[in-house]
Amino acid sequence: MKRTITTLLVAGAVGSAAVLGTAYFGLVNVGADDPHFPAVHSFLAMARDRSIEVRARDIEVPDLKNAALIKAGAGNYNAMCIGCHLAPGVGKTELSQALYPSPPDLTKVGVGGEPAAAFWTIKHGIKATGMPAWGKSMGDEYIWGIVAFLDQLPEMNPEQYKALVATSGGHQHGGGESDMHNHEGQHGGSGHAEHGDHDEAADNDHAQAAHDHGAPPAGATQAADHHGDHNAAEAHSDAHPKSSTKTHVHKDGKEHTHAN
C-alpha cells in the first residue's frame, strides 16, 4: 500500500512538472487561429457550462413577455451585441469570424431555453472568450431587457427586427453608455491636436537639450548675428574708406568735382 501511494505521488509530481515545463517553454500555442485539441475543447466547454449552471440556479427570472422590457433590450442589443452575435439580415462579421471560441449566433439559439444562464453570462462575462461582463456598466433590469429580447429574437425576420430597434429608444441603460464605434473619441481627440502637442513638446525638448549642452538661446543667437553683421559692415568700411571730393568753379562758370 505504501509503495502504491509513493508511486502515485511520484507520477503526479512528474506529470505536474511536465505540464509546467510545456507551458514555461512556450510549447502551448495560444493563438486564436489554432483551435484547442478536441479533448481540451470538450473539457473547457464542460467547465464553462457547469460553472454557469451552478451560479445561475438561484436566479429568479422576471416576465420575459413584457413588451417594454423587450423593446428596451432591442436597442441595447443592436448597439452592443450584433458585432459578435449578429442580427436578422446581418451576415457574419470580421469580429464574429475572428474570435475563438466563436461567439454563438443568437439569431438562431436565443437564450437556449435557459434565461437565467443567459442573464448570468451577460452580467458576468466569460474569461478568455471575448465575452464582456456587461454588469459593470448595466443594471440588472437592462440586462433582463436583453434576455427578454433574445427570447424573441429567433422568431424575428429582418423587417421586424429593424422596426423594433427603431422604436426602442436606442442604446440606453441608465448611465455608462458609450459610442461603440467612435474611434476618435476613444483616443481622446483628433490626431491634429495630438500632433500639435507632440510638436510643442519636441520643441521644448530641443530647447532644453541646447541649454544643457551650453548652446546660446535663440534670442542670444539672433543678437549675435546682428552684431556680427554690424561688425562686418564696419570692417568693410575700414578696408574701403569713403573717397572725399573737391569742387571748384571754372572760368566759364561751370562747376567741376574731383575725387581725391
Side-chain angles (χ1 to χ4, degrees):
M1 182 66 179
K2 185 177 180 180
R3 177 177 294 179
T4 301
I5 294 175
T6 301
T7 301
L8 291 175
L9 290 175
V10 171
V14 171
S16 298
V19 171
L20 290 174
T22 299
Y24 180 79
F25 289 105
L27 300 180
V28 177
N29 186 353
V30 298
D33 56 354
D34 182 36
H36 293 303
F37 291 116
V40 175
H41 184 276
S42 297
F43 172 79
L44 293 175
M46 179 272 294
R48 176 200 62 206
D49 294 343
R50 287 294 297 142
S51 176
I52 296 172
E53 182 180 345
V54 168
R55 288 160 178 78
R57 62 174 48 149
D58 295 327
I59 294 176
E60 295 184 8
V61 179
D63 179 15
L64 300 182
K65 303 299 183 182
N66 184 299
L69 201 62
I70 295 171
K71 185 180 293 186
N76 286 324
Y77 180 87
N78 187 67
M80 303 168 68
C81 307
I82 63 173
C84 293
H85 299 291
L86 312 182
V90 176
K92 291 183 178 180
T93 66
E94 289 181 288
L95 187 58
S96 69
Q97 296 179 84
L99 284 172
Y100 183 81
S102 299
D105 182 351
L106 297 183
T107 65
K108 298 178 179 179
V109 300
V111 297
E114 300 179 355
F119 172 86
W120 190 94
T121 301
I122 296 170
K123 181 174 182 176
H124 299 287
I126 301 177
K127 296 175 181 176
T129 65
M131 177 61 197
W134 291 121
K136 290 187 175 183
S137 62
M138 300 180 71
D140 287 0
E141 65 273 26
Y142 299 101
I143 296 176
W144 279 120
I146 294 179
V147 174
F149 169 76
L150 289 175
D151 194 43
Q152 304 295 319
L153 184 59
E155 306 300 323
M156 293 184 190
N157 59 39
E159 289 71 25
Q160 292 171 326
Y161 173 80
K162 291 178 182 178
L164 187 58
V165 170
T167 60
S168 67
H171 182 203
Q172 54 180 345
H173 45 79
E177 301 91 346
S178 62
D179 189 339
M180 304 297 288
H181 303 289
N182 185 1
H183 299 294
E184 182 175 335
Q186 291 174 6
H187 291 289
S190 67
H192 177 74
E194 291 175 355
H195 286 301
D197 294 341
H198 172 75
D199 292 342
E200 182 178 353
D203 290 342
N204 291 337
D205 290 342
H206 287 309
Q208 183 62 41
H211 175 74
D212 293 342
H213 288 284
T221 302
Q222 293 175 353
D225 292 342
H226 172 74
H227 288 300
D229 293 342
H230 180 70
N231 293 337
E234 290 182 347
H236 179 76
S237 177
D238 293 340
H240 303 280
K242 295 181 180 179
S243 60
S244 61
T245 60
K246 183 177 181 179
T247 304
H248 67 272
V249 180
H250 292 274
K251 292 180 179 181
D252 57 2
K254 294 182 179 179
E255 294 183 351
H256 186 74
T257 301
H258 297 276
N260 293 335

